[in-house]
Amino acid sequence: MTNPDPQRPAGWRWRPIASVANFLVLGIAFLMVYPTLRLLQLVFGEDAHLQGAGLGPGIGGVLWNTFVMVSISSVIALAFSTFLALISERTDGGLKGVGNFMPVAPLMLPSVTGVLGWVVLFDPRIGFVNIALRWAMGDPVQGGMGPIDIYSMQGLIFALSVHLVPAIYLITSSALRSLDPSIEEAARISGAGPLRTWLTVTLPAIRPSIFEAWILSIINGIAIFAVPVILGTSAGIEVVSVRIYRYFTDFPANEKAALILACGMLVVVFALRMIQWRFMPHGRQATIGGKGVRHAPTRLGRLGWLTKGIFLGYILISLVLPLLALMVVSLQPFWSLNFSPEYLSFNNYKTVLTVNPATTRALGNSIFLATTGATVIMVIAGFLMLYANHFADGAARFGRRGLTQRLGYRRIVDFVTTLPATFPHTLVGVAFILAFAQWPFDIYGTIWILFLAYLLMEIPYATAAARSAAILVSRELSESSRVFRASEGTTMRKILLPLTLHGLAAGWVLVFIHMMGEVTASAILSGTSNGVVGAVLLDLWENGSFPLMTAFALVIWAIATCMMAVVLWLNNHNVKKTR
């Protein structure tokens, strides 16, 4: 059959790929808009029937604790992450090769696991670091206290700062890698030293990325749950995310106060975004240099050993030492200073894997959700990014200039898929209860409400990985395929997907690890019938079953690590076969 109008492509009338892409974008938007509207309706609607009688006493202290913890931690994490990124990208003082990945390695560790590791290390009574310090200072080892107290505001700030570093480092190091080094070389030629060049040229040039990283760290700090619920509860320090959780779980429940606080979080988040859009509009960042433009790293000499030591010290405190400490405690019947071989056993692992029904059920649910969820999310993200970068804008030239054509389909997809990153996980949990616990959905108490919540929370990370993979494939390949009359589906399946599989696999691993260790929304949305590992870990903590909790946390880490190794090995094997 010939095309009646040769000026229009044959697929102009109805494009199945475009219809699927539009449906997915609308679905993601629905998961954001509908729960948010339900939240606002119940907070401000006159016909709302909610339990509770206001925010209760001490709310001022809760808000102040949140402000102090988040403001100080975000600034410390931003300064330290930017320092690491500068050293790694602009000097010879970083860790070469795979070492440049090490600052983001803690992302591979579920947040609860890291917090538990710091508890084992810095507990004021029997923390391993405190015991070593008391022994070195000649103080009583048994029955002594301190000198470091992790259950304090200083401990909260330390733990949250370490938790925020990897995400900020990813953003700032990527911006430095993309920055045209010629502007820095011009400053050096003019006589400016390395430090002056970094302070007056390099950092101002990536200011939008730094501000973006800071805003995201504040949002993550407001929403963080694992750190304050474990460390803050023992210290008597409560923050907003924990207070919302208490409003729902205490008896009687105070739903009205929980919704008011959740709505307040939403207002703060959007206020921060408005400040960003007002003072740091998109497009004011220095651009990538042309091919052949390379930056000569600054030689630090003997200072390079100091910076390498800082890198290694961060990896030790954020990843290696917490894991080693957890391994020791998980082998004990109860947390103590007895390390004799006859005292250690694998009974805790046997209990969480085969005996305890709550842990076995939660582990099965989490593995199912993480495996299926990561697969579905990466399929959605990969499809949208490949379509938006290789088909959407090109096809728009042949049609009417509607809203999507005027704004650019890629911009719409980027906006819809990245906006969920501004929704704190506590807010997602509260809003999803309101939206999906009643008719016509009524899925509260099932794993599917967790599945939808995870989809919304993880789609920004998945699309970031998929976008990075999609833009590395030249559009000339898809255009050449179109010249040979291949359909969009064929081009995507046989050309684009194989070339982006490596990046999509890396994104799958990141999403899988996030979903396996998610605590904040899981603590609100899960119950006895749909328990997941994050909620069960909190139950074990509150019941004082610390060795069981450490064993369960290490099982989760081991599963995530093995899954990461298998997926990346299979992906590398497939890449070698296609070459």
Side-chain angles (χ1 to χ4, degrees), residues 74-146:
S74 62
V75 172
I76 292 175
L78 182 67
F80 186 69
S81 304
T82 306
F83 167 78
L84 292 182
L86 274 173
I87 296 300
S88 178
E89 299 295 334
R90 289 296 184 264
T91 74
D92 63 350
L95 303 176
K96 301 300 180 184
V98 72
N100 288 330
F101 169 77
M102 295 309 292
V104 301
L107 282 177
M108 302 294 103
L109 191 67
S111 59
V112 176
T113 308
V115 177
L116 292 177
W118 296 326
V119 169
V120 176
L121 291 172
F122 299 111
D123 182 89
R125 190 169 55 88
I126 55 174
F128 295 160
V129 172
N130 278 322
I131 290 172
L133 290 175
R134 289 202 298 269
W135 176 82
M137 294 185 298
D139 294 336
V141 174
Q142 296 284 355
M145 293 290 289

Side-chain angles (χ1 to χ4, degrees), residues 242-254 523-524 542:
V242 177
R243 177 59 71 93
I244 292 177
Y245 171 74
R246 300 297 182 201
Y247 281 147
F248 272 110
T249 57
D250 288 347
F251 183 82
N254 192 346
I524 297 175
E542 293 179 349

Side-chain angles (χ1 to χ4, degrees), residues 401-436:
R401 290 186 59 79
L403 177 63
T404 57
Q405 285 75 33
R406 290 196 300 270
L407 295 179
Y409 196 83
R410 271 184 293 181
R411 292 184 180 180
I412 294 176
V413 172
D414 287 344
F415 177 78
V416 172
T417 55
T418 56
L419 188 60
T422 64
F423 283 72
H425 291 188
T426 309
L427 177 64
V428 172
V430 173
F432 269 54
I433 287 180
L434 302 176
F436 299 110

